């Protein structure tokens, strides 16, 4: 696969480019992970997010929305104290709120992936993780329901 200039920064970016970027996702947990990584990235570089990805994955229990939806104040404190994560309380709380919203959408549509693949959204490229525009979520690009319940105010 030919490489874009941004993927030559380091081996993590190269591996992400070659193995994940632009690859359609059909797994709810994996899609949730990418949406939350994008939300956590706001104001930061994707390179930094990739470097912190494993610590974030551990802190957020594998980015399992069912688990994250049960998080409370102790979990916020725990994540804030975790080495190697994004230490933004607003972003941590947004991930928790988004897990709850994600599950509500999944319940209504059968799964989040089913909604995205159903054509009920404006941008088919939402499944391309690197290109997900988290601000588009709040602007209704994947449905009014999502716009009203997903927190991107990080």
């Amino acid at each position: 696969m030919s490489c874009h200039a941004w993927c030559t920064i380091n081996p993590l970016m190269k591996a992400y480019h070659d193995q994940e970027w632009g690859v359609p996702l059909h797994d709810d947990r994996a899609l949730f992970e990418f949406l939350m990584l994008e939300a956590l990235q706001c104001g930061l570089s994707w390179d930094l997010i990739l470097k912190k990805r494993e610590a974030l994955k551990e802190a957020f229990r594998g980015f399992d929305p069912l688990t994250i939806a049960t998080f409370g104040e102790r979990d916020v404190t725990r994540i804030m104290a975790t080495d190697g994560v994004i230490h933004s309380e607003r972003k941590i709380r947004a991930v928790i709120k988004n897990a709850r919203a994600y599950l509500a959408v999944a319940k209504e549509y059968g799964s989040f992936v089913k909604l995205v693949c159903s054509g009920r959204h404006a941008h088919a490229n939402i499944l391309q993780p690197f290109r997900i525009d988290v601000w588009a979520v709040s602007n209704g690009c994947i449905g009014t329901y999502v716009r009203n319940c997903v927190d991107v105010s990080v």
Side-chain angles (χ1 to χ4, degrees), residues 66-85:
L66 286 168
T67 301
I68 295 170
T70 67
F71 282 8
E73 290 303 314
R74 276 200 276 176
D75 294 291
V76 172
T77 302
R78 173 185 57 77
I79 295 168
M80 286 293 291
T82 301
D83 289 336
V85 302

Side-chain angles (χ1 to χ4, degrees), residues 54-152:
E54 288 308 310
L56 289 165
K57 205 170 196 172
E58 186 174 323
F60 285 105
R61 306 295 191 242
F63 283 105
D64 175 18
L66 286 168
T67 301
I68 295 170
T70 67
F71 282 8
E73 290 303 314
R74 276 200 276 176
D75 294 291
V76 172
T77 302
R78 173 185 57 77
I79 295 168
M80 286 293 291
T82 301
D83 289 336
V85 302
I86 308 301
H87 294 108
S88 165
E89 187 173 332
R90 287 179 68 196
K91 289 182 179 185
I92 292 166
R93 290 183 186 284
V95 170
I96 296 166
K97 184 176 177 182
N98 287 341
R100 294 171 185 149
Y102 192 88
L103 293 174
V105 170
K107 182 177 180 183
E108 182 171 334
Y109 291 94
S111 80
F112 198 86
V113 169
K114 282 183 185 176
L115 168 64
V116 173
C117 294
S118 71
R120 295 181 189 158
H121 55 83
H123 297 291
N125 71 349
I126 190 106
L127 291 177
Q128 295 178 352
F130 193 77
R131 295 180 184 164
I132 291 172
D133 179 358
V134 293
W135 299 110
V137 174
S138 66
N139 292 324
C141 292
I142 58 172
T144 303
Y145 189 95
V146 178
R147 179 181 64 234
N148 292 331
C149 64
V150 174
D151 185 1
V152 293

Side-chain angles (χ1 to χ4, degrees), residues 20-36:
E20 297 180 274
W21 185 73
V23 175
L25 293 173
H26 300 285
D27 173 80
D28 270 355
R29 196 227 41 90
L31 184 55
F32 178 74
E33 177 181 346
F34 276 110
L35 286 168
M36 294 309 97

